PDB file of all heavy atoms in Angstrom:
ATOM      1  N   MET A 196       0.807  -1.233   0.008  1.00 35.00           N
ATOM      2  CA  MET A 196       0.028   0.016   0.017  1.00 35.00           C
ATOM      3  C   MET A 196       0.897   1.272  -0.006  1.00 35.00           C
ATOM      4  O   MET A 196       1.839   1.364   0.728  1.00 35.00           O
ATOM      5  CB  MET A 196      -0.956  -0.020   1.198  1.00 35.00           C
ATOM      6  CG  MET A 196      -1.924   1.161   1.257  1.00 35.00           C
ATOM      7  SD  MET A 196      -2.975   1.047   2.706  1.00 35.00           S
ATOM      8  CE  MET A 196      -3.856   2.618   2.508  1.00 35.00           C
ATOM      9  N   ASP A 197       0.574   2.236  -0.862  1.00 50.00           N
ATOM     10  CA  ASP A 197       1.368   3.425  -0.982  1.00 50.00           C
ATOM     11  C   ASP A 197       0.776   4.553  -0.073  1.00 50.00           C
ATOM     12  O   ASP A 197      -0.323   5.007  -0.332  1.00 50.00           O
ATOM     13  CB  ASP A 197       1.362   3.882  -2.452  1.00 50.00           C
ATOM     14  CG  ASP A 197       2.293   5.100  -2.643  1.00 50.00           C
ATOM     15  OD1 ASP A 197       3.033   5.437  -1.642  1.00 50.00           O
ATOM     16  OD2 ASP A 197       2.265   5.718  -3.763  1.00 50.00           O
ATOM     17  N   ASN A 198       1.518   4.839   0.967  1.00 51.00           N
ATOM     18  CA  ASN A 198       1.011   5.913   1.900  1.00 51.00           C
ATOM     19  C   ASN A 198       1.721   7.270   1.630  1.00 51.00           C
ATOM     20  O   ASN A 198       1.787   8.137   2.527  1.00 51.00           O
ATOM     21  CB  ASN A 198       1.275   5.462   3.361  1.00 51.00           C
ATOM     22  CG  ASN A 198       0.468   4.261   3.770  1.00 51.00           C
ATOM     23  OD1 ASN A 198      -0.714   4.257   3.430  1.00 51.00           O
ATOM     24  ND2 ASN A 198       1.097   3.338   4.458  1.00 51.00           N
ATOM     25  N   SER A 199       2.324   7.424   0.451  1.00 67.00           N
ATOM     26  CA  SER A 199       3.039   8.678   0.181  1.00 67.00           C
ATOM     27  C   SER A 199       2.146   9.850  -0.121  1.00 67.00           C
ATOM     28  O   SER A 199       0.994   9.698  -0.527  1.00 67.00           O
ATOM     29  CB  SER A 199       3.990   8.439  -0.967  1.00 67.00           C
ATOM     30  OG  SER A 199       3.292   8.156  -2.139  1.00 67.00           O
ATOM     31  N   GLU A 200       2.657  11.071   0.197  1.00 89.00           N
ATOM     32  CA  GLU A 200       2.013  12.278  -0.118  1.00 89.00           C
ATOM     33  C   GLU A 200       2.952  13.208  -0.843  1.00 89.00           C
ATOM     34  O   GLU A 200       4.144  13.104  -0.610  1.00 89.00           O
ATOM     35  CB  GLU A 200       1.512  12.959   1.155  1.00 89.00           C
ATOM     36  CG  GLU A 200       0.399  12.263   1.909  1.00 89.00           C
ATOM     37  CD  GLU A 200       0.038  13.089   3.170  1.00 89.00           C
ATOM     38  OE1 GLU A 200       0.777  12.899   4.128  1.00 89.00           O
ATOM     39  OE2 GLU A 200      -0.935  13.810   3.150  1.00 89.00           O
ATOM     40  N   PHE A 201       2.461  14.111  -1.680  1.00 93.00           N
ATOM     41  CA  PHE A 201       3.321  15.035  -2.370  1.00 93.00           C
ATOM     42  C   PHE A 201       3.098  16.437  -1.776  1.00 93.00           C
ATOM     43  O   PHE A 201       1.940  16.824  -1.482  1.00 93.00           O
ATOM     44  CB  PHE A 201       3.025  15.054  -3.836  1.00 93.00           C
ATOM     45  CG  PHE A 201       3.563  13.867  -4.621  1.00 93.00           C
ATOM     46  CD1 PHE A 201       2.727  12.769  -4.814  1.00 93.00           C
ATOM     47  CD2 PHE A 201       4.866  13.808  -5.047  1.00 93.00           C
ATOM     48  CE1 PHE A 201       3.148  11.684  -5.470  1.00 93.00           C
ATOM     49  CE2 PHE A 201       5.280  12.703  -5.756  1.00 93.00           C
ATOM     50  CZ  PHE A 201       4.454  11.607  -5.941  1.00 93.00           C
ATOM     51  N   PHE A 202       4.135  17.205  -1.648  1.00 96.00           N
ATOM     52  CA  PHE A 202       4.066  18.623  -1.219  1.00 96.00           C
ATOM     53  C   PHE A 202       4.854  19.462  -2.174  1.00 96.00           C
ATOM     54  O   PHE A 202       5.960  19.086  -2.560  1.00 96.00           O
ATOM     55  CB  PHE A 202       4.657  18.697   0.202  1.00 96.00           C
ATOM     56  CG  PHE A 202       3.958  17.938   1.255  1.00 96.00           C
ATOM     57  CD1 PHE A 202       4.334  16.670   1.598  1.00 96.00           C
ATOM     58  CD2 PHE A 202       2.823  18.446   1.906  1.00 96.00           C
ATOM     59  CE1 PHE A 202       3.643  15.897   2.506  1.00 96.00           C
ATOM     60  CE2 PHE A 202       2.179  17.750   2.843  1.00 96.00           C
ATOM     61  CZ  PHE A 202       2.600  16.438   3.126  1.00 96.00           C
ATOM     62  N   VAL A 203       4.360  20.533  -2.554  1.00 97.00           N
ATOM     63  CA  VAL A 203       5.030  21.493  -3.448  1.00 97.00           C
ATOM     64  C   VAL A 203       5.226  22.854  -2.858  1.00 97.00           C
ATOM     65  O   VAL A 203       4.275  23.511  -2.431  1.00 97.00           O
ATOM     66  CB  VAL A 203       4.122  21.605  -4.766  1.00 97.00           C
ATOM     67  CG1 VAL A 203       4.855  22.505  -5.747  1.00 97.00           C
ATOM     68  CG2 VAL A 203       3.806  20.316  -5.388  1.00 97.00           C
ATOM     69  N   GLY A 204       6.461  23.286  -2.774  1.00 97.00           N
ATOM     70  CA  GLY A 204       6.845  24.528  -2.167  1.00 97.00           C
ATOM     71  C   GLY A 204       7.114  25.502  -3.270  1.00 97.00           C
ATOM     72  O   GLY A 204       7.784  25.231  -4.281  1.00 97.00           O
ATOM     73  N   LEU A 205       6.579  26.759  -3.145  1.00 97.00           N
ATOM     74  CA  LEU A 205       6.706  27.795  -4.123  1.00 97.00           C
ATOM     75  C   LEU A 205       7.496  28.985  -3.474  1.00 97.00           C
ATOM     76  O   LEU A 205       6.854  29.655  -2.611  1.00 97.00           O
ATOM     77  CB  LEU A 205       5.331  28.227  -4.718  1.00 97.00           C
ATOM     78  CG  LEU A 205       5.332  29.428  -5.695  1.00 97.00           C
ATOM     79  CD1 LEU A 205       6.208  29.157  -6.907  1.00 97.00           C
ATOM     80  CD2 LEU A 205       3.937  29.766  -6.119  1.00 97.00           C
ATOM     81  N   ASP A 206       8.592  29.246  -3.925  1.00 97.00           N
ATOM     82  CA  ASP A 206       9.432  30.343  -3.360  1.00 97.00           C
ATOM     83  C   ASP A 206       9.498  31.479  -4.511  1.00 97.00           C
ATOM     84  O   ASP A 206      10.146  31.314  -5.519  1.00 97.00           O
ATOM     85  CB  ASP A 206      10.861  29.883  -3.056  1.00 97.00           C
ATOM     86  CG  ASP A 206      11.814  30.998  -2.707  1.00 97.00           C
ATOM     87  OD1 ASP A 206      11.309  32.141  -2.421  1.00 97.00           O
ATOM     88  OD2 ASP A 206      13.027  30.762  -2.682  1.00 97.00           O
ATOM     89  N   ILE A 207       8.793  32.572  -4.246  1.00 96.00           N
ATOM     90  CA  ILE A 207       8.724  33.678  -5.241  1.00 96.00           C
ATOM     91  C   ILE A 207       9.800  34.676  -4.772  1.00 96.00           C
ATOM     92  O   ILE A 207       9.548  35.556  -3.895  1.00 96.00           O
ATOM     93  CB  ILE A 207       7.390  34.314  -5.243  1.00 96.00           C
ATOM     94  CG1 ILE A 207       6.295  33.267  -5.584  1.00 96.00           C
ATOM     95  CG2 ILE A 207       7.302  35.409  -6.258  1.00 96.00           C
ATOM     96  CD1 ILE A 207       4.861  33.761  -5.465  1.00 96.00           C
ATOM     97  N   GLY A 208      10.955  34.612  -5.364  1.00 94.00           N
ATOM     98  CA  GLY A 208      12.059  35.485  -4.990  1.00 94.00           C
ATOM     99  C   GLY A 208      12.198  36.663  -6.041  1.00 94.00           C
ATOM    100  O   GLY A 208      11.622  36.704  -7.082  1.00 94.00           O
ATOM    101  N   THR A 209      13.067  37.530  -5.720  1.00 93.00           N
ATOM    102  CA  THR A 209      13.311  38.763  -6.550  1.00 93.00           C
ATOM    103  C   THR A 209      14.002  38.380  -7.871  1.00 93.00           C
ATOM    104  O   THR A 209      13.657  38.880  -8.911  1.00 93.00           O
ATOM    105  CB  THR A 209      14.151  39.777  -5.826  1.00 93.00           C
ATOM    106  OG1 THR A 209      13.479  40.138  -4.525  1.00 93.00           O
ATOM    107  CG2 THR A 209      14.350  40.995  -6.696  1.00 93.00           C
ATOM    108  N   ASN A 210      14.961  37.452  -7.855  1.00 93.00           N
ATOM    109  CA  ASN A 210      15.729  37.014  -8.990  1.00 93.00           C
ATOM    110  C   ASN A 210      15.182  35.812  -9.676  1.00 93.00           C
ATOM    111  O   ASN A 210      15.387  35.602 -10.883  1.00 93.00           O
ATOM    112  CB  ASN A 210      17.168  36.884  -8.671  1.00 93.00           C
ATOM    113  CG  ASN A 210      17.999  38.164  -8.914  1.00 93.00           C
ATOM    114  OD1 ASN A 210      17.375  39.219  -9.245  1.00 93.00           O
ATOM    115  ND2 ASN A 210      19.284  38.145  -8.752  1.00 93.00           N
ATOM    116  N   SER A 211      14.652  34.881  -8.921  1.00 95.00           N
ATOM    117  CA  SER A 211      14.187  33.634  -9.411  1.00 95.00           C
ATOM    118  C   SER A 211      13.039  33.097  -8.623  1.00 95.00           C
ATOM    119  O   SER A 211      12.867  33.418  -7.469  1.00 95.00           O
ATOM    120  CB  SER A 211      15.353  32.549  -9.420  1.00 95.00           C
ATOM    121  OG  SER A 211      15.664  32.285  -8.055  1.00 95.00           O
ATOM    122  N   ILE A 212      12.243  32.323  -9.350  1.00 96.00           N
ATOM    123  CA  ILE A 212      11.118  31.616  -8.732  1.00 96.00           C
ATOM    124  C   ILE A 212      11.434  30.170  -8.733  1.00 96.00           C
ATOM    125  O   ILE A 212      11.730  29.531  -9.764  1.00 96.00           O
ATOM    126  CB  ILE A 212       9.739  31.885  -9.520  1.00 96.00           C
ATOM    127  CG1 ILE A 212       9.382  33.332  -9.348  1.00 96.00           C
ATOM    128  CG2 ILE A 212       8.628  30.944  -9.026  1.00 96.00           C
ATOM    129  CD1 ILE A 212       8.227  33.812 -10.136  1.00 96.00           C
ATOM    130  N   LYS A 213      11.357  29.515  -7.516  1.00 97.00           N
ATOM    131  CA  LYS A 213      11.754  28.158  -7.379  1.00 97.00           C
ATOM    132  C   LYS A 213      10.532  27.274  -6.893  1.00 97.00           C
ATOM    133  O   LYS A 213       9.778  27.753  -6.051  1.00 97.00           O
ATOM    134  CB  LYS A 213      12.897  28.026  -6.429  1.00 97.00           C
ATOM    135  CG  LYS A 213      14.184  28.712  -6.897  1.00 97.00           C
ATOM    136  CD  LYS A 213      15.284  28.589  -5.959  1.00 97.00           C
ATOM    137  CE  LYS A 213      16.605  29.052  -6.551  1.00 97.00           C
ATOM    138  NZ  LYS A 213      16.506  30.520  -6.876  1.00 97.00           N
ATOM    139  N   VAL A 214      10.419  26.160  -7.531  1.00 97.00           N
ATOM    140  CA  VAL A 214       9.412  25.197  -7.130  1.00 97.00           C
ATOM    141  C   VAL A 214      10.069  23.932  -6.708  1.00 97.00           C
ATOM    142  O   VAL A 214      10.901  23.340  -7.459  1.00 97.00           O
ATOM    143  CB  VAL A 214       8.399  24.941  -8.296  1.00 97.00           C
ATOM    144  CG1 VAL A 214       7.352  23.920  -7.982  1.00 97.00           C
ATOM    145  CG2 VAL A 214       7.758  26.251  -8.764  1.00 97.00           C
ATOM    146  N   VAL A 215       9.794  23.452  -5.562  1.00 97.00           N
ATOM    147  CA  VAL A 215      10.328  22.217  -5.024  1.00 97.00           C
ATOM    148  C   VAL A 215       9.201  21.198  -4.776  1.00 97.00           C
ATOM    149  O   VAL A 215       8.215  21.485  -4.075  1.00 97.00           O
ATOM    150  CB  VAL A 215      11.128  22.459  -3.739  1.00 97.00           C
ATOM    151  CG1 VAL A 215      11.662  21.062  -3.182  1.00 97.00           C
ATOM    152  CG2 VAL A 215      12.269  23.366  -3.965  1.00 97.00           C
ATOM    153  N   VAL A 216       9.271  19.987  -5.350  1.00 97.00           N
ATOM    154  CA  VAL A 216       8.322  18.932  -5.192  1.00 97.00           C
ATOM    155  C   VAL A 216       8.948  17.843  -4.306  1.00 97.00           C
ATOM    156  O   VAL A 216      10.060  17.322  -4.611  1.00 97.00           O
ATOM    157  CB  VAL A 216       7.852  18.358  -6.490  1.00 97.00           C
ATOM    158  CG1 VAL A 216       6.788  17.295  -6.265  1.00 97.00           C
ATOM    159  CG2 VAL A 216       7.338  19.424  -7.471  1.00 97.00           C
ATOM    160  N   ALA A 217       8.285  17.483  -3.216  1.00 96.00           N
ATOM    161  CA  ALA A 217       8.802  16.485  -2.330  1.00 96.00           C
ATOM    162  C   ALA A 217       7.714  15.394  -2.045  1.00 96.00           C
ATOM    163  O   ALA A 217       6.545  15.762  -1.939  1.00 96.00           O
ATOM    164  CB  ALA A 217       9.325  17.060  -1.064  1.00 96.00           C
ATOM    165  N   GLU A 218       8.154  14.176  -1.889  1.00 94.00           N
ATOM    166  CA  GLU A 218       7.300  13.114  -1.605  1.00 94.00           C
ATOM    167  C   GLU A 218       7.545  12.611  -0.207  1.00 94.00           C
ATOM    168  O   GLU A 218       8.669  12.226   0.142  1.00 94.00           O
ATOM    169  CB  GLU A 218       7.476  11.944  -2.592  1.00 94.00           C
ATOM    170  CG  GLU A 218       6.506  10.716  -2.369  1.00 94.00           C
ATOM    171  CD  GLU A 218       6.805   9.662  -3.375  1.00 94.00           C
ATOM    172  OE1 GLU A 218       7.809   9.623  -4.019  1.00 94.00           O
ATOM    173  OE2 GLU A 218       5.875   8.801  -3.492  1.00 94.00           O
ATOM    174  N   ALA A 219       6.525  12.583   0.667  1.00 90.00           N
ATOM    175  CA  ALA A 219       6.647  12.186   2.027  1.00 90.00           C
ATOM    176  C   ALA A 219       6.200  10.726   2.163  1.00 90.00           C
ATOM    177  O   ALA A 219       5.066  10.428   1.748  1.00 90.00           O
ATOM    178  CB  ALA A 219       5.837  13.045   2.949  1.00 90.00           C
ATOM    179  N   SER A 220       7.113   9.830   2.559  1.00 85.00           N
ATOM    180  CA  SER A 220       6.794   8.429   2.668  1.00 85.00           C
ATOM    181  C   SER A 220       7.667   7.732   3.735  1.00 85.00           C
ATOM    182  O   SER A 220       8.879   8.019   3.780  1.00 85.00           O
ATOM    183  CB  SER A 220       7.034   7.726   1.336  1.00 85.00           C
ATOM    184  OG  SER A 220       6.752   6.368   1.383  1.00 85.00           O
ATOM    185  N   ASP A 221       6.989   7.031   4.626  1.00 79.00           N
ATOM    186  CA  ASP A 221       7.720   6.337   5.739  1.00 79.00           C
ATOM    187  C   ASP A 221       8.583   7.290   6.536  1.00 79.00           C
ATOM    188  O   ASP A 221       9.723   7.027   6.756  1.00 79.00           O
ATOM    189  CB  ASP A 221       8.561   5.236   5.096  1.00 79.00           C
ATOM    190  CG  ASP A 221       7.750   4.170   4.314  1.00 79.00           C
ATOM    191  OD1 ASP A 221       6.577   3.910   4.823  1.00 79.00           O
ATOM    192  OD2 ASP A 221       8.231   3.636   3.379  1.00 79.00           O
ATOM    193  N   ASP A 222       7.992   8.380   6.920  1.00 79.00           N
ATOM    194  CA  ASP A 222       8.670   9.415   7.735  1.00 79.00           C
ATOM    195  C   ASP A 222       9.960   9.965   7.150  1.00 79.00           C
ATOM    196  O   ASP A 222      10.840  10.452   7.779  1.00 79.00           O
ATOM    197  CB  ASP A 222       9.044   8.749   9.088  1.00 79.00           C
ATOM    198  CG  ASP A 222       7.850   8.497   9.956  1.00 79.00           C
ATOM    199  OD1 ASP A 222       6.858   9.211   9.832  1.00 79.00           O
ATOM    200  OD2 ASP A 222       7.933   7.536  10.750  1.00 79.00           O
TER     201      ASP A 222
END
């Protein structure tokens, strides 16, 4: 069984915009 979750962080900066995708699974 897959208990993973996805989280997406959006950092809106002056010079660059960064998007980080992370998968949380098994702590």
Side-chain angles (χ1 to χ4, degrees):
M196 182 177 178
D197 185 9
N198 293 319
S199 63
E200 293 180 280
F201 287 95
F202 299 91
V203 182
L205 175 60
D206 172 16
I207 303 174
T209 303
N210 268 5
S211 65
I212 292 175
K213 294 179 175 62
V214 178
V215 175
V216 183
E218 182 179 17
S220 179
D221 299 326
D222 292 329

